[in-house]
């Protein structure tokens, strides 16, 4: 990620935090309600950069020369798969999974490929990862789950995919917000409807 992209990301984060501070309905960044962030630097590891930029042919060539790079973690504990998931590189994600990349690995702050894809709104990558048996309810350092990050980003298709694969609606982040509470606080009304419909489907069998 270059400086301009990082500044843009920080700007969006600042806008989110400003909104939350004004409403006083959510805790602020200092109290732990911080979204999983995209990796900041390539750390000089070409394999991670290639994955992030979607350079599939070059990535394949590197792995053919040294297969040990497949699950190599950078200084933040992020793997090539995590970098590809972060930047929405579906072809790279599928290629790495086919090569045997471990989708269950976690970063230093408990980042996962699924959490990063959910934060970015990449439903196709979410579905690929779920087909490879990742934990839909994995959590990061502040209790954020893929569902919570999808709700935070107002990524409706991602929320639907996660719910369809067993995402837990009752899980709360360390700041005390469940998926529904977060959707309400942020004013994501379409997300609220998706969550409400899912809850109704869950309760219908019990009412018969």
């Amino acid at each position: 990620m270059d400086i301009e992209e990082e500044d843009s990301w920080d700007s969006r984060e600042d806008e989110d935090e400003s909104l939350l501070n004004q409403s006083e309905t959510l805790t602020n960044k200092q109290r732990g309600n911080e979204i999983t962030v995209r990796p900041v630097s390539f750390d000089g590891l070409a394999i991670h950069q290639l994955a992030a930029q979607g350079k599939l042919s070059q990535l394949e060539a590197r792995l053919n020369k040294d297969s040990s790079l497949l699950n190599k973690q950078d200084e933040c504990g992020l793997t090539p798969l995590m970098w590809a998931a972060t930047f929405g590189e579906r072809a790279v994600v599928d290629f790495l999974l086919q090569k045997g990349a471990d989708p269950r690995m976690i970063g230093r702050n408990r980042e996962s490929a699924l959490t990063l894809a959910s934060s970015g709104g990449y439903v196709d990558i979410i579905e690929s990862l779920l087909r490879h048996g990742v934990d839909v309810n994995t959590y990061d350092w502040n209790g954020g789950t893929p569902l919570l990050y999808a709700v935070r980003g107002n990524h409706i298709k991602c929320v639907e995919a996660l719910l369809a694969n067993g995402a837990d609606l009752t899980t709360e982040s360390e700041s005390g917000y469940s998926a529904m509470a977060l959707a309400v606080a942020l004013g994501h009304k379409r997300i609220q409807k998706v969550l409400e419909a899912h809850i109704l489907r869950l309760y219908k069998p019990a009412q018969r």
Side-chain angles (χ1 to χ4, degrees):
M1 180 180 296
D2 59 31
I3 293 176
E4 291 183 358
E5 290 175 325
E6 184 63 19
D7 288 343
S8 176
W9 181 260
D10 289 341
S11 176
R12 291 195 295 273
E13 283 293 290
D14 290 341
E15 289 175 2
D16 282 347
E17 290 175 14
S18 176
L19 170 63
L20 303 186
N21 289 335
Q22 290 173 9
S23 67
E24 296 185 354
T25 55
L26 295 179
T27 57
N28 59 27
K29 180 177 179 180
Q30 287 71 31
R31 293 168 65 186
N33 190 29
E34 183 180 11
I35 193 168
T36 289
V37 296
R38 295 187 176 193
V40 176
S41 68
F42 291 126
D43 302 315
L45 297 175
I47 193 71
H48 298 90
Q49 184 174 10
L50 293 173
Q53 294 182 351
K55 305 296 186 181
L56 190 54
S57 59
Q58 294 95 322
L59 183 67
E60 183 175 13
R62 283 292 306 278
L63 289 174
N64 286 339
K65 291 180 180 179
D66 186 356
S67 61
S68 69
L69 296 174
L70 183 60
N71 290 310
K72 186 174 181 59
Q73 293 176 287
D74 63 15
E75 65 178 14
C76 294
L78 305 179
T79 65
L81 179 63
M82 292 181 196
W83 277 90
T86 296
F87 286 92
E89 296 293 343
R90 166 67 184 277
V92 173
V93 167
D94 288 343
F95 167 74
L96 291 171
L97 290 172
Q98 291 169 5
K99 295 286 284 186
D102 186 352
R104 299 177 183 83
M105 292 183 71
I106 58 175
R108 189 173 61 191
N109 291 317
R110 291 194 57 84
E111 305 96 335
S112 69
L114 184 61
T115 300
L116 292 165
S118 299
S119 181
Y122 304 119
V123 66
D124 50 352
I125 292 178
I126 287 173
E127 292 170 344
S128 289
L129 292 168
L130 290 171
R131 284 195 294 270
H132 281 76
V134 299
D135 181 5
V136 71
N137 293 311
T138 185
Y139 60 91
D140 63 11
W141 67 276
N142 67 341
T145 64
L147 180 60
L148 287 169
Y149 285 120
V151 169
R152 173 72 179 265
N154 202 21
H155 303 309
I156 297 173
K157 294 297 183 182
C158 296
V159 169
E160 291 174 339
L162 292 165
L163 290 174
N165 283 274
D168 189 348
L169 277 168
T170 66
T171 300
E172 297 180 353
S173 67
E174 289 187 359
S175 53
Y177 287 87
S178 65
M180 180 62 79
L182 189 58
V184 171
L186 291 172
H188 294 335
K189 297 189 181 300
R190 292 178 64 192
I191 294 287
Q192 291 176 50
K193 290 181 180 179
V194 169
L195 296 173
E196 289 167 356
H198 183 73
I199 292 171
L200 288 175
R201 286 194 294 272
L202 291 177
Y203 278 95
K204 276 184 179 179
Q207 294 173 349
R208 292 176 181 174

